[in-house]
Amino acid sequence: MPEHNRVIQVAVPRPLHSVYDYAVPEGMPIPPAGCRVQVPFGRSTALGICVNTEVANPHSRLKPIHALVDAETSDPAVSHELLDLARWMSSYYHHPLGEVLATVLPAAARRGAEFSITAADCWQAVQPEYVNPRAPRQQLLLEFLTTHPGSSGAEIVAAGFSRALLNKLAALRVVDRIDQRADPQPKEPNLAASPEQALAIEKVHQTLGSFQTLLLEGVTGSGKTEVYLQSIASVVANGGQALVLVPEIALTPQTLSRFQRRFARTGMLHSALTDNERLQTWLKCRQGDFDIVLGTRSAIFTPCQNLQLIIVDEEHDSSYKQQDGLRYSARDLAAKRAQALSIPLLLGSATPSLESLYNAKRGRYQHLHLLNRAGGAQLPSFHVIDMRNENTLHGLSHQLIRVIRHHLDAAGQVLIYLNRRGFAPTVLCQNCGWQSHCSDCDAKLTLHQTPPQMICHHCSLRFQVPQQCEHCGHTALLPIGLGTQRAEENARQLFEGNPVYRIDRDTTRSNKQLNEQLAQINRGDPCILVGTQMLAKGHHFPNVTLVAVINADAGLLSPDFRAPERTAQLIVQVAGRAGRADRTGEVWIQSYQPENPLLTTLIESGYSGFAEAELTSRESAQLPPTTPMALIRAESADAELAKQFLQQCKTQSQALGLLTEINIMGPVPAPLGRIANRHRFQLMLIATSRRALHRCLSALDQTPAPSKLRWSIDVDPYDAM
Ligand code: ADP
Ligand code: ZN
Ligand code: ZN
């Protein structure tokens, strides 16, 4: 065979845009595209992915690949479908293909792990009639397994048999392993769907087998999950699989068990799994052992035998956007995958993103509604407290304190929502106004109390609590503002006798701790919950009758163009925790700007009225989603270097002659200009068309970074930080 027919192209996981040609040594089969190969690279070796086998390279001195990692070349690590998705991502996000492929594969797979599924440690008798009169213990174990088929190794040992005995019977082929998940019988029946739910389920059913995006906008507590479950049921009945994405914070054991009670063969992919557990679930999905896989952002890359439906729950959630490295949106990739596979995508939310609403408005998405809460629960009523004429005690207005007392007295639970963890957002000198800042960031330090320390929420540096002003030496330092720790302490004093639970990133480091707190809360006794947005997402607190939003203003006043959208979503989501069962709820919002039109529109016209108004203002300001945007970020210990690099990018783009199609703003310092002693600048590109935007980025994406500088392209940035 002539030499050039034994050449393949390999993408390696390095920040380089090229793919490289390698020779396949005689006697080694040519690996099909998608296979993992070990190749010499620079002075070391790399695990790359073969991306092309039809290469004509007359060069006779090509380096040979070292080894094929995927022994079964008929079953490459990256399927054809996902390889195409990776290629698309590489061009859309302007990111090197080798690094994209490394993101698509689970960590263990990209380190070269062998693809073998560890057999489940569950046992059954396969020759129950076997008799060995000289081994009574063997006989007893055999009887045990005949009466308890499917017992796990641990259960067998607990019943008094040794592992050695079990292994002996296994070697004799008297007993054998069984797959515990072999029983696909659903354990729990469907609920009787409401007419609204039934209509949505029917719509999804009608689209099975073709590409269509459906946006399910359903108020909090309207039973979106039931729509998902019944839609999945028709897929599973059809022998297909469903992929369900949920926000990071929402993938709790409660969520999983809700799906598992309906579908025995449910797999779960989340960040707390070990690399090997993750690989095992990935492999089982790939060979069709699971009917559903439930996972967070990166689960969008799960290979499936026969995928027939993708669902993205809480599609507006920011955790679907990867904020570093390859800055992809799992929601947008879900649409891409569904399109390639000709299957429907179901997006669900009580507060859809403006992106999705815009697509629905233009007729690209089918818009479905659930306007009522399931089981007849009422939506909460809204009240705004004008803080300008209120006396406050510990950050709570007297009016709010009265309302809280009232709800506690009526045996209700109260949820106090704040957007800041820690004790107080800043420490201020009463003499000169000095505030405590991080040494390495342009950010104020947050005072924490248990243990007492100052923490930077941007670089995580910790400092001692200052005893005197660093500027004037005065010792009258005052904690200013309210964090969750302080609100918890205040609530204990103000509402003595009522338990107070704090739920934020500091108190819920472990799932176990969170579950214990949730169990106590859901016993239903009057209590106060204090927390950050962790409280707003997905939880069901049947006895919460009052939700108090302590400070709605910060989000409404932020310069980030997405801040109003995010704030409205948070208020509606946290309000949605109130009155989810038979008792109606109230939402009280403290604001120094009670007539801010964003707030009044939200309260008077609900989220959809708010979203409509906000979309109009984005349109007239030429901002996403109506106008495509990208950010180029650069950071370096040397501010000048970062700024110059972006200036050079700008000059280069301007030379392309796209001036009427692309508006380039900057370079300007990022909203947080310095983090961990690195200066951060950004360039904003706003284009009249995606084509123009991509032409411009393609001209820039291979610019080599000067040493001591990091830079990145962010297409469809989520926040301009
Ligand atoms: P969402 O995800 O829209 O916020 P959930 O799916 O969590 O709402 O449903 C809220 C509550 O309503 C859950 O306790 C659920 O079991 C219940 N529910 C949903 N659909 C029905 C139904 N058709 N009949 C009775 N209860 C329902
Ligand atoms: Zn001072
Ligand atoms: Zn810092």
Side-chain angles (χ1 to χ4, degrees), residues 432-455:
C432 77
W434 169 85
Q435 296 180 11
S436 183
H437 277 85
C438 176
S439 59
D440 290 5
C441 306
D442 291 341
K444 285 177 221 153
L445 294 173
T446 301
L447 175 63
H448 283 241
Q449 196 120 85
T450 40
Q453 56 187 333
M454 307 293 295
I455 302 182

Side-chain angles (χ1 to χ4, degrees), residues 438-443 445 456-461 463 675-676:
C438 176
S439 59
D440 290 5
C441 306
D442 291 341
L445 294 173
C456 174
H457 284 188
H458 299 283
C459 71
S460 301
L461 270 186
F463 301 84
I675 294 182

Side-chain angles (χ1 to χ4, degrees), residues 54 359 363 690:
E54 322 244 304
N359 278 320
R690 289 227 166 248

Side-chain angles (χ1 to χ4, degrees), residues 253-312:
Q254 291 96 309
T255 313
L256 178 69
S257 86
R258 228 169 140 181
F259 283 84
Q260 275 177 331
R261 287 199 303 268
R262 295 285 170 92
F263 306 99
R265 309 199 318 159
T266 300
M268 169 152 94
L269 286 168
H270 60 78
S271 53
L273 297 179
T274 65
D275 286 352
N276 190 46
E277 287 168 336
R278 211 177 164 73
L279 180 67
Q280 288 296 317
T281 307
W282 185 87
L283 288 171
K284 284 181 188 163
C285 241
R286 189 171 181 252
Q287 70 170 40
D289 286 0
F290 288 127
D291 296 327
I292 314 183
V293 63
L294 200 63
T296 51
R297 182 175 60 229
S298 63
I300 190 59
F301 303 120
T302 314
C304 296
Q305 273 275 312
N306 184 10
L307 189 58
Q308 295 188 2
L309 174 66
I310 307 179
I311 295 174
V312 180

